[in-house]
Amino acid sequence: MRHRVKTKSFHRPKEHREALFVNLAVELIEHGRIKTTLPKAKALRPFVEKLVTLAKKETVAARRLLNARLRNNTKAATKLFKEIAPLLKERQGGYTRIYKLDKRRRGDDAQMAIIEFVAHPDKEEQ
């Protein structure tokens, strides 16, 4: 039974799973959109949305907490604070969007998806 189980384990230990989410979040922040499996995209969404909500506060404490959650990746934290959070300032939530892809991954037939920010600096330039 799945009583009170909030996240999927992905058959990984806790530290490995947290590192996976940090790596996916950093890639999403740096590139604006990433292609991954659908379960990973669905699990990544709340993690990233909490980071964006934290970045919208613009305090020293929020900056330090964000750096800690991104494992001291200051490049991604700075981009989140200076470029992404101002674009999403007026939104109350729902900062990311997930597209399901028709094509499945060739090796294991996994359902693929694209997760992206609703508003991203690279997308605004086009």
Side-chain angles (χ1 to χ4, degrees), residues 69-83:
R69 292 208 179 138
L70 289 177
R71 307 258 170 107
N72 292 323
N73 191 326
T74 54
K75 182 181 174 188
T78 304
K79 184 168 184 174
L80 191 58
F81 264 100
K82 290 187 178 179
E83 297 177 19

Side-chain angles (χ1 to χ4, degrees), residues 32-33 97 99 116-126:
R33 71 184 334 195
R97 129 183 349 125
Y99 295 112
E116 68 177 7
F117 285 109
V118 174
H120 192 266
D122 299 338
K123 197 186 328 183
E124 299 297 320
E125 293 171 1
Q126 297 174 355

Side-chain angles (χ1 to χ4, degrees), residues 6 9 43 60 76 88 120 126:
K6 289 185 178 181
S9 68
V60 175
L88 302 169
H120 192 266
Q126 297 174 355

